[in-house]
Amino acid sequence: MKSKFASPMRFAHWVPNVSGGLVVSKHPQRTDWSLDYNIKLAKIAEEVGFDYALTQIRFMGNYGAEYQHDSLMFSAALLACTERINIITAILPGIFHPGVIAKHGATADQIFNGRWSIHVASGWYRKEFDALGVEWLEHDERYVRSQEFVEILRGAWTTDNFSYEGKYWNIKDYTLKPKPLALPDRPMPEVFQGGNSAAAQRMAGAVSDWYFMNGDTLDGIKQQMTNVTKRAQSHDRRVKFGLNAFVIARETEAEAQAELERIIAAADNVAISGFKENVKEAGKSSKEGKGMWANSTERDLVQYNDGFKTKLIGTPEQIAERIHKFRKMGVDLILCGFLHFHEETRFFGERVIPLVRELERADPPKRLEVSLQ
């Protein structure tokens, strides 16, 4: 019999494998995009209780990120230097082929003992696709292509002589060996996705294990979770939820808020304006005009993925209480960005996560249940 209580909140951190840090600001950041820096960061994260780390996928400079390391290669390097943390590799369907990624993922999963996952990012930066000669699809069709991508991954990871006839890919008698590890709590690598639009929610309900949400209001988060959960239930599935947050944890609330205002005051407005123009290809271009960045202000966009909206800004106690509130709502994972990654990841793990665990023991969150009526 399944427990009515939810599992503890999980924690992930963004991997700064692109230059510029996690805020588009000229405010000083002691964060670096080099491999050595990120290996040390991953070791700190797994030491202090983080479960996952997410590499970023960029092919060309934009939004203050002039330089970028490849997500697949970078993920493998981090996995080779860690023992417990799971590395989520971001990829772009269309630029990547699902059969090839299925092979990459199976190899990484075998070598690194089931610690590889994938984030299927459907794409918002048209210039990357145009530069590489890859067809740029309209918003909702990008999610159709991504869903096919995931269906092919799952088929190749579980079935010999796998064939698939889709709108964007055709696979014939493909046998992948070795396949990924089949673990008791995870039959194949986990599939993450983001999006926030109706098309993204349809895809998540049908095929994804995890649905990442940008920062949003409490009502906005609840609505997305309800929509995705209903869609998943119609497929006899359950989707877990991750929430993006930029964390500023300080000894006093005033200190944390002052840091936030310094970041925003030093914002790189030229880079932000360019990004705002490029992301018109995202949520605003969906049929319903909703989705990622559709309602983001320039203040919000100082942290890409609207991380300030999550409001994990304050003392360790205040942040822990808000995280516990999210867990009781049904959020399963917090994806953290920081100004100074090494120091603040350790501070978060040593000062915030133990408080979250105390709250979970005192007031256990229940599993999210949504009625289809």
Side-chain angles (χ1 to χ4, degrees), residues 233-283:
Q233 287 178 343
S234 71
H235 294 278
D236 195 27
R237 305 181 64 252
R238 178 180 180 269
V239 176
K240 291 174 281 191
F241 297 96
L243 178 62
N244 181 63
F246 190 79
V247 182
I248 305 177
R250 301 292 186 268
E251 296 293 352
T252 69
E253 182 179 6
E255 185 182 357
Q257 291 295 332
E259 186 80 284
L260 172 64
E261 294 307 320
R262 286 192 291 269
I263 292 168
I264 292 170
D268 185 341
N269 293 315
V270 173
I272 291 168
S273 294
F275 179 74
K276 196 170 185 179
E277 180 64 26
N278 286 320
V279 297
K280 289 179 180 178
E281 300 281 0

Short mmCIF file of all heavy atoms in Angstrom, two decimals, residues 233-283:
data_model
loop_
_atom_site.label_atom_id
_atom_site.label_comp_id
_atom_site.label_asym_id
_atom_site.label_seq_id
_atom_site.Cartn_x
_atom_site.Cartn_y
_atom_site.Cartn_z
N GLN A 233 -2.89 11.96 -15.35
CA GLN A 233 -3.85 10.95 -14.89
C GLN A 233 -4.63 10.36 -16.05
O GLN A 233 -4.99 9.17 -16.03
CB GLN A 233 -4.79 11.58 -13.86
CG GLN A 233 -4.14 11.83 -12.51
CD GLN A 233 -5.07 12.50 -11.52
OE1 GLN A 233 -6.09 13.06 -11.90
NE2 GLN A 233 -4.71 12.46 -10.25
N SER A 234 -4.91 11.16 -17.07
CA SER A 234 -5.63 10.65 -18.23
C SER A 234 -4.81 9.62 -18.99
O SER A 234 -5.35 8.82 -19.76
CB SER A 234 -6.05 11.80 -19.16
OG SER A 234 -4.92 12.35 -19.83
N HIS A 235 -3.49 9.62 -18.78
CA HIS A 235 -2.58 8.62 -19.37
C HIS A 235 -2.17 7.57 -18.33
O HIS A 235 -1.25 6.79 -18.60
CB HIS A 235 -1.33 9.31 -19.92
CG HIS A 235 -1.58 10.21 -21.09
ND1 HIS A 235 -1.70 9.75 -22.38
CD2 HIS A 235 -1.74 11.56 -21.16
CE1 HIS A 235 -1.90 10.77 -23.20
NE2 HIS A 235 -1.93 11.88 -22.49
N ASP A 236 -2.81 7.60 -17.18
CA ASP A 236 -2.48 6.68 -16.08
C ASP A 236 -1.01 6.84 -15.67
O ASP A 236 -0.29 5.86 -15.48
CB ASP A 236 -2.77 5.23 -16.47
CG ASP A 236 -2.79 4.30 -15.25
OD1 ASP A 236 -3.10 4.80 -14.14
OD2 ASP A 236 -2.51 3.10 -15.42
N ARG A 237 -0.59 8.09 -15.55
CA ARG A 237 0.78 8.41 -15.19
C ARG A 237 0.81 9.41 -14.05
O ARG A 237 -0.20 10.01 -13.71
CB ARG A 237 1.53 9.03 -16.39
CG ARG A 237 1.53 8.22 -17.66
CD ARG A 237 2.32 8.89 -18.77
NE ARG A 237 3.74 8.98 -18.42
CZ ARG A 237 4.37 10.10 -18.08
NH1 ARG A 237 3.72 11.27 -18.06
NH2 ARG A 237 5.65 10.09 -17.76
N ARG A 238 1.99 9.60 -13.47
CA ARG A 238 2.21 10.65 -12.48
C ARG A 238 3.45 11.43 -12.88
O ARG A 238 4.49 10.83 -13.20
CB ARG A 238 2.40 10.09 -11.06
CG ARG A 238 2.67 11.20 -10.04
CD ARG A 238 2.85 10.67 -8.63
NE ARG A 238 3.11 11.79 -7.72
CZ ARG A 238 4.32 12.25 -7.41
NH1 ARG A 238 5.39 11.68 -7.93
NH2 ARG A 238 4.47 13.26 -6.57
N VAL A 239 3.35 12.74 -12.88
CA VAL A 239 4.47 13.62 -13.19
C VAL A 239 4.90 14.33 -11.91
O VAL A 239 4.07 14.77 -11.12
CB VAL A 239 4.08 14.66 -14.26
CG1 VAL A 239 5.22 15.64 -14.52
CG2 VAL A 239 3.69 13.96 -15.55
N LYS A 240 6.21 14.44 -11.72
CA LYS A 240 6.76 15.19 -10.59
C LYS A 240 7.11 16.60 -11.04
O LYS A 240 7.31 16.85 -12.22
CB LYS A 240 7.98 14.46 -10.02
CG LYS A 240 7.62 13.14 -9.34
CD LYS A 240 8.85 12.36 -8.91
CE LYS A 240 9.46 11.62 -10.08
NZ LYS A 240 10.51 10.65 -9.66
N PHE A 241 7.22 17.50 -10.06
CA PHE A 241 7.35 18.92 -10.38
C PHE A 241 8.62 19.53 -9.78
O PHE A 241 8.91 19.34 -8.60
CB PHE A 241 6.14 19.69 -9.86
CG PHE A 241 4.85 19.27 -10.52
CD1 PHE A 241 4.02 18.34 -9.92
CD2 PHE A 241 4.51 19.78 -11.77
CE1 PHE A 241 2.85 17.93 -10.54
CE2 PHE A 241 3.34 19.37 -12.40
CZ PHE A 241 2.50 18.45 -11.78
N GLY A 242 9.34 20.27 -10.63
CA GLY A 242 10.49 21.04 -10.19
C GLY A 242 10.20 22.52 -10.36
O GLY A 242 9.49 22.92 -11.29
N LEU A 243 10.73 23.34 -9.48
CA LEU A 243 10.48 24.78 -9.49
C LEU A 243 11.79 25.53 -9.46
O LEU A 243 12.63 25.30 -8.59
CB LEU A 243 9.63 25.17 -8.28
CG LEU A 243 9.31 26.65 -8.10
CD1 LEU A 243 8.50 27.19 -9.27
CD2 LEU A 243 8.55 26.86 -6.78
N ASN A 244 11.98 26.45 -10.42
CA ASN A 244 13.20 27.24 -10.47
C ASN A 244 13.18 28.34 -9.42
O ASN A 244 12.15 28.98 -9.19
CB ASN A 244 13.35 27.89 -11.85
CG ASN A 244 14.62 28.70 -11.97
OD1 ASN A 244 15.73 28.17 -11.88
ND2 ASN A 244 14.49 30.00 -12.15
N ALA A 245 14.34 28.55 -8.78
CA ALA A 245 14.45 29.59 -7.76
C ALA A 245 15.86 30.16 -7.75
O ALA A 245 16.84 29.41 -7.84
CB ALA A 245 14.12 29.03 -6.37
N PHE A 246 15.96 31.48 -7.65
CA PHE A 246 17.25 32.10 -7.36
C PHE A 246 17.27 32.37 -5.87
O PHE A 246 16.41 33.09 -5.35
CB PHE A 246 17.44 33.39 -8.15
CG PHE A 246 18.85 33.91 -8.06
CD1 PHE A 246 19.85 33.36 -8.84
CD2 PHE A 246 19.17 34.92 -7.17
CE1 PHE A 246 21.17 33.82 -8.75
CE2 PHE A 246 20.48 35.39 -7.08
CZ PHE A 246 21.48 34.83 -7.87
N VAL A 247 18.22 31.77 -5.18
CA VAL A 247 18.25 31.79 -3.72
C VAL A 247 19.23 32.85 -3.23
O VAL A 247 20.39 32.88 -3.64
CB VAL A 247 18.65 30.41 -3.16
CG1 VAL A 247 18.64 30.43 -1.64
CG2 VAL A 247 17.72 29.31 -3.70
N ILE A 248 18.73 33.71 -2.34
CA ILE A 248 19.62 34.65 -1.63
C ILE A 248 19.36 34.44 -0.15
O ILE A 248 18.39 34.96 0.42
CB ILE A 248 19.35 36.11 -2.02
CG1 ILE A 248 19.46 36.30 -3.54
CG2 ILE A 248 20.35 37.03 -1.31
CD1 ILE A 248 19.14 37.71 -4.02
N ALA A 249 20.17 33.62 0.47
CA ALA A 249 20.05 33.30 1.90
C ALA A 249 21.11 34.06 2.68
O ALA A 249 22.31 33.92 2.41
CB ALA A 249 20.21 31.79 2.12
N ARG A 250 20.66 34.90 3.61
CA ARG A 250 21.57 35.69 4.42
C ARG A 250 21.12 35.62 5.88
O ARG A 250 20.05 35.13 6.20
CB ARG A 250 21.58 37.15 3.93
CG ARG A 250 22.01 37.34 2.48
CD ARG A 250 23.47 37.00 2.26
NE ARG A 250 23.92 37.32 0.90
CZ ARG A 250 23.91 36.45 -0.12
NH1 ARG A 250 23.44 35.22 0.07
NH2 ARG A 250 24.36 36.81 -1.30
N GLU A 251 21.93 36.13 6.77
CA GLU A 251 21.61 36.04 8.20
C GLU A 251 20.39 36.87 8.57
O GLU A 251 19.68 36.56 9.52
CB GLU A 251 22.81 36.47 9.04
CG GLU A 251 24.04 35.57 8.89
CD GLU A 251 23.82 34.17 9.45
OE1 GLU A 251 22.78 33.92 10.09
OE2 GLU A 251 24.70 33.31 9.23
N THR A 252 20.14 37.95 7.83
CA THR A 252 18.95 38.77 8.09
C THR A 252 18.19 38.97 6.79
O THR A 252 18.75 38.95 5.69
CB THR A 252 19.32 40.15 8.67
OG1 THR A 252 19.98 40.93 7.65
CG2 THR A 252 20.21 40.02 9.90
N GLU A 253 16.89 39.21 6.91
CA GLU A 253 16.06 39.47 5.74
C GLU A 253 16.49 40.75 5.04
O GLU A 253 16.53 40.83 3.81
CB GLU A 253 14.59 39.56 6.16
CG GLU A 253 13.65 39.78 4.98
CD GLU A 253 12.19 39.86 5.42
OE1 GLU A 253 11.93 39.85 6.64
OE2 GLU A 253 11.32 39.93 4.52
N ALA A 254 16.84 41.76 5.84
CA ALA A 254 17.25 43.04 5.26
C ALA A 254 18.49 42.87 4.39
O ALA A 254 18.61 43.47 3.31
CB ALA A 254 17.51 44.06 6.37
N GLU A 255 19.43 42.06 4.85
CA GLU A 255 20.66 41.83 4.08
C GLU A 255 20.35 41.12 2.77
O GLU A 255 20.91 41.46 1.72
CB GLU A 255 21.63 40.99 4.92
CG GLU A 255 22.99 40.78 4.28
CD GLU A 255 23.91 39.92 5.12
OE1 GLU A 255 23.51 39.52 6.25
OE2 GLU A 255 25.04 39.64 4.65
N ALA A 256 19.45 40.14 2.82
CA ALA A 256 19.09 39.40 1.61
C ALA A 256 18.38 40.31 0.61
O ALA A 256 18.68 40.28 -0.60
CB ALA A 256 18.20 38.21 1.96
N GLN A 257 17.45 41.12 1.09
CA GLN A 257 16.73 42.02 0.19
C GLN A 257 17.65 43.09 -0.41
O GLN A 257 17.51 43.47 -1.57
CB GLN A 257 15.57 42.68 0.95
CG GLN A 257 14.43 41.74 1.31
CD GLN A 257 13.71 41.17 0.10
OE1 GLN A 257 13.66 41.80 -0.95
NE2 GLN A 257 13.12 40.00 0.26
N ALA A 258 18.59 43.55 0.40
CA ALA A 258 19.55 44.54 -0.11
C ALA A 258 20.41 43.94 -1.21
O ALA A 258 20.73 44.62 -2.20
CB ALA A 258 20.42 45.05 1.03
N GLU A 259 20.79 42.68 -1.07
CA GLU A 259 21.57 42.01 -2.12
C GLU A 259 20.75 41.91 -3.40
O GLU A 259 21.27 42.17 -4.51
CB GLU A 259 21.98 40.61 -1.66
CG GLU A 259 22.91 39.87 -2.61
CD GLU A 259 24.36 40.31 -2.48
OE1 GLU A 259 24.69 41.42 -2.97
OE2 GLU A 259 25.15 39.54 -1.90
N LEU A 260 19.49 41.55 -3.28
CA LEU A 260 18.61 41.49 -4.45
C LEU A 260 18.56 42.84 -5.17
O LEU A 260 18.69 42.90 -6.41
CB LEU A 260 17.21 41.06 -4.03
CG LEU A 260 16.13 41.14 -5.12
CD1 LEU A 260 16.44 40.19 -6.27
CD2 LEU A 260 14.75 40.85 -4.52
N GLU A 261 18.39 43.91 -4.42
CA GLU A 261 18.27 45.23 -5.05
C GLU A 261 19.59 45.66 -5.69
O GLU A 261 19.59 46.33 -6.72
CB GLU A 261 17.81 46.25 -4.01
CG GLU A 261 16.39 46.01 -3.50
CD GLU A 261 15.36 45.89 -4.61
OE1 GLU A 261 15.45 46.65 -5.60
OE2 GLU A 261 14.48 45.01 -4.50
N ARG A 262 20.72 45.25 -5.13
CA ARG A 262 22.01 45.56 -5.76
C ARG A 262 22.15 44.83 -7.09
O ARG A 262 22.67 45.38 -8.08
CB ARG A 262 23.16 45.20 -4.82
CG ARG A 262 23.34 46.15 -3.64
CD ARG A 262 24.66 45.91 -2.93
NE ARG A 262 24.69 44.64 -2.23
CZ ARG A 262 24.32 44.47 -0.96
NH1 ARG A 262 23.87 45.50 -0.23
NH2 ARG A 262 24.41 43.28 -0.38
N ILE A 263 21.70 43.58 -7.13
CA ILE A 263 21.75 42.81 -8.37
C ILE A 263 20.90 43.49 -9.45
O ILE A 263 21.33 43.66 -10.59
CB ILE A 263 21.25 41.37 -8.12
CG1 ILE A 263 22.23 40.60 -7.24
CG2 ILE A 263 21.04 40.63 -9.45
CD1 ILE A 263 21.68 39.28 -6.72
N ILE A 264 19.70 43.88 -9.08
CA ILE A 264 18.78 44.48 -10.05
C ILE A 264 19.26 45.86 -10.48
O ILE A 264 19.17 46.23 -11.67
CB ILE A 264 17.36 44.53 -9.47
CG1 ILE A 264 16.82 43.10 -9.32
CG2 ILE A 264 16.43 45.38 -10.34
CD1 ILE A 264 15.54 42.98 -8.55
N ALA A 265 19.81 46.63 -9.55
CA ALA A 265 20.30 47.97 -9.88
C ALA A 265 21.43 47.93 -10.90
O ALA A 265 21.61 48.86 -11.69
CB ALA A 265 20.75 48.68 -8.61
N ALA A 266 22.20 46.84 -10.90
CA ALA A 266 23.34 46.69 -11.81
C ALA A 266 23.00 45.84 -13.03
O ALA A 266 23.89 45.35 -13.73
CB ALA A 266 24.52 46.08 -11.07
N ALA A 267 21.72 45.66 -13.32
CA ALA A 267 21.29 44.80 -14.42
C ALA A 267 21.89 45.24 -15.75
O ALA A 267 22.05 46.45 -16.01
CB ALA A 267 19.77 44.81 -14.52
N ASP A 268 22.22 44.26 -16.59
CA ASP A 268 22.70 44.52 -17.94
C ASP A 268 21.48 44.69 -18.85
O ASP A 268 20.97 43.72 -19.43
CB ASP A 268 23.58 43.37 -18.41
CG ASP A 268 24.22 43.63 -19.78
OD1 ASP A 268 23.73 44.50 -20.51
OD2 ASP A 268 25.21 42.94 -20.09
N ASN A 269 21.00 45.91 -18.96
CA ASN A 269 19.73 46.15 -19.65
C ASN A 269 19.80 45.87 -21.14
O ASN A 269 18.80 45.50 -21.76
CB ASN A 269 19.28 47.59 -19.39
CG ASN A 269 18.92 47.81 -17.93
OD1 ASN A 269 18.23 47.00 -17.33
ND2 ASN A 269 19.39 48.91 -17.36
N VAL A 270 20.98 46.03 -21.74
CA VAL A 270 21.12 45.72 -23.16
C VAL A 270 20.91 44.23 -23.41
O VAL A 270 20.17 43.82 -24.31
CB VAL A 270 22.51 46.17 -23.67
CG1 VAL A 270 22.72 45.70 -25.12
CG2 VAL A 270 22.64 47.69 -23.58
N ALA A 271 21.57 43.39 -22.59
CA ALA A 271 21.42 41.93 -22.73
C ALA A 271 19.99 41.50 -22.45
O ALA A 271 19.44 40.63 -23.13
CB ALA A 271 22.38 41.20 -21.79
N ILE A 272 19.37 42.11 -21.44
CA ILE A 272 18.00 41.75 -21.09
C ILE A 272 17.04 42.11 -22.22
O ILE A 272 16.13 41.33 -22.56
CB ILE A 272 17.58 42.43 -19.77
CG1 ILE A 272 18.36 41.81 -18.61
CG2 ILE A 272 16.07 42.30 -19.53
CD1 ILE A 272 18.25 42.58 -17.31
N SER A 273 17.22 43.27 -22.83
CA SER A 273 16.35 43.68 -23.93
C SER A 273 16.48 42.71 -25.11
O SER A 273 15.49 42.36 -25.75
CB SER A 273 16.70 45.09 -24.37
OG SER A 273 16.40 46.02 -23.35
N GLY A 274 17.72 42.28 -25.39
CA GLY A 274 17.93 41.32 -26.47
C GLY A 274 17.24 40.00 -26.17
O GLY A 274 16.62 39.39 -27.06
N PHE A 275 17.35 39.54 -24.94
CA PHE A 275 16.70 38.29 -24.55
C PHE A 275 15.19 38.42 -24.65
O PHE A 275 14.50 37.52 -25.16
CB PHE A 275 17.10 37.93 -23.11
CG PHE A 275 16.45 36.66 -22.61
CD1 PHE A 275 16.87 35.43 -23.06
CD2 PHE A 275 15.43 36.72 -21.67
CE1 PHE A 275 16.29 34.26 -22.58
CE2 PHE A 275 14.84 35.56 -21.19
CZ PHE A 275 15.27 34.33 -21.67
N LYS A 276 14.65 39.54 -24.20
CA LYS A 276 13.20 39.76 -24.23
C LYS A 276 12.68 39.68 -25.66
O LYS A 276 11.59 39.16 -25.91
CB LYS A 276 12.87 41.11 -23.60
CG LYS A 276 11.41 41.28 -23.23
CD LYS A 276 11.20 42.54 -22.41
CE LYS A 276 9.75 42.65 -21.95
NZ LYS A 276 9.55 43.86 -21.13
N GLU A 277 13.47 40.18 -26.60
CA GLU A 277 13.08 40.11 -28.01
C GLU A 277 13.12 38.66 -28.51
O GLU A 277 12.20 38.18 -29.19
CB GLU A 277 14.01 40.97 -28.85
CG GLU A 277 13.69 40.98 -30.33
CD GLU A 277 12.34 41.59 -30.65
OE1 GLU A 277 11.84 42.44 -29.88
OE2 GLU A 277 11.76 41.20 -31.70
N ASN A 278 14.18 37.93 -28.15
CA ASN A 278 14.33 36.55 -28.62
C ASN A 278 13.26 35.62 -28.07
O ASN A 278 12.81 34.71 -28.76
CB ASN A 278 15.72 36.01 -28.25
CG ASN A 278 16.81 36.60 -29.12
OD1 ASN A 278 16.64 36.77 -30.31
ND2 ASN A 278 17.95 36.92 -28.52
N VAL A 279 12.83 35.82 -26.82
CA VAL A 279 11.89 34.88 -26.22
C VAL A 279 10.45 35.13 -26.64
O VAL A 279 9.54 34.47 -26.15
CB VAL A 279 12.00 34.84 -24.67
CG1 VAL A 279 13.37 34.36 -24.26
CG2 VAL A 279 11.66 36.18 -24.06
N LYS A 280 10.24 36.07 -27.55
CA LYS A 280 8.91 36.15 -28.16
C LYS A 280 8.59 34.85 -28.90
O LYS A 280 7.42 34.55 -29.16
CB LYS A 280 8.84 37.33 -29.13
CG LYS A 280 8.83 38.69 -28.46
CD LYS A 280 8.78 39.81 -29.49
CE LYS A 280 8.77 41.18 -28.80
NZ LYS A 280 8.77 42.29 -29.79
N GLU A 281 9.64 34.07 -29.22
CA GLU A 281 9.44 32.77 -29.86
C GLU A 281 8.95 31.71 -28.87
O GLU A 281 8.61 30.60 -29.26
CB GLU A 281 10.76 32.28 -30.48
CG GLU A 281 11.34 33.20 -31.54
CD GLU A 281 10.65 33.05 -32.89
OE1 GLU A 281 9.72 32.24 -32.99
OE2 GLU A 281 11.05 33.76 -33.82
N ALA A 282 8.94 32.06 -27.58
CA ALA A 282 8.54 31.10 -26.54
C ALA A 282 7.06 31.28 -26.19
O ALA A 282 6.20 31.19 -27.05
CB ALA A 282 9.43 31.27 -25.32
N GLY A 283 6.74 31.55 -24.92
CA GLY A 283 5.36 31.55 -24.47
C GLY A 283 4.44 32.47 -25.24
O GLY A 283 3.29 32.13 -25.54
#
